[in-house]
Amino acid sequence: MSTISQRPQRTAPSPASRGGYGGVVLVVAVLLYLMNVSPGWRVVPILTSETSLVLGSVNAALGVVLLANLLYLVVDSRPVRGLGGLATSGVSMIALFRIWEVFPFHFADTGFDWVVLTRVLLVAAIVGTVVGLVASGAMMLGGPWGSRRPTRRDDE
């Protein structure tokens, strides 16, 4: 006889998930330190002084990613990850639009149009963030993309 069962939602992260969340926390913390403390964003040659106008929103986006992954280390459930995804995607969207608006980049004349490439990459990031918002909302609410698919099990 075949039955369909759903796996229970996890509340504590598996060791593999814990490693992934911890890795994200470490990488984001290092990135925040490198950008804001030492050596700082000013050492990056393509960034202009206008970078200071977007730094707050970029720091906010990275901070929300850091906090969300710290939360995932404690509670690893689909609704919590969905809510975290909504928060990180929402704040990231604000940062991306701010970067688009200020465009704090200056590229040397190399014969290649780096401005166009950068704008295309920003559009791709914005589109990806919109997809992330939709997917996170569905995950949080248990929509078609958010719920676990039932698994078939043969009981004897």
Side-chain angles (χ1 to χ4, degrees):
M1 165 195 279
S2 290
T3 61
I4 297 177
S5 65
Q6 283 192 309
R7 292 183 228 153
Q9 287 192 348
R10 202 182 287 266
T11 56
S14 69
S17 294
R18 190 179 304 271
Y21 302 143
V24 170
V25 167
L26 180 64
V27 168
V28 171
V30 167
L31 187 56
L32 283 166
Y33 179 83
L34 291 173
M35 284 179 13
N36 295 287
V37 180
S38 179
W41 63 267
R42 287 179 176 86
V43 301
V44 180
I46 64 168
L47 295 178
T48 68
S49 61
E50 291 179 327
T51 300
S52 63
L53 300 174
V54 301
L55 196 57
S57 58
V58 171
N59 282 336
L62 290 171
V64 171
V65 169
L66 183 87
L67 290 173
N69 279 273
L70 285 171
L71 177 62
Y72 303 157
L73 283 169
V74 178
V75 179
D76 188 24
S77 68
R78 284 184 172 277
V80 169
R81 286 193 321 271
L83 183 60
L86 282 174
T88 57
S89 294
V91 177
S92 295
M93 181 73 73
I94 292 167
L96 288 166
F97 279 122
R98 186 71 177 138
I99 292 168
W100 179 274
E101 176 185 42
V102 174
F103 203 75
F105 307 104
H106 175 74
F107 300 101
D109 189 15
T110 61
F112 182 81
D113 198 345
W114 289 101
V115 171
V116 170
L117 177 63
T118 305
R119 292 278 188 192
V120 167
L121 292 174
L122 281 169
V123 168
I126 290 167
V127 169
T129 303
V130 169
V131 171
L133 279 166
V134 172
S136 294
M139 180 185 290
M140 188 180 84
L141 299 173
W145 301 303
S147 60
R148 289 185 184 258
R149 290 193 175 159
T151 56
R152 291 211 168 262
R153 183 177 63 185
D154 291 328
D155 292 334
E156 295 188 43

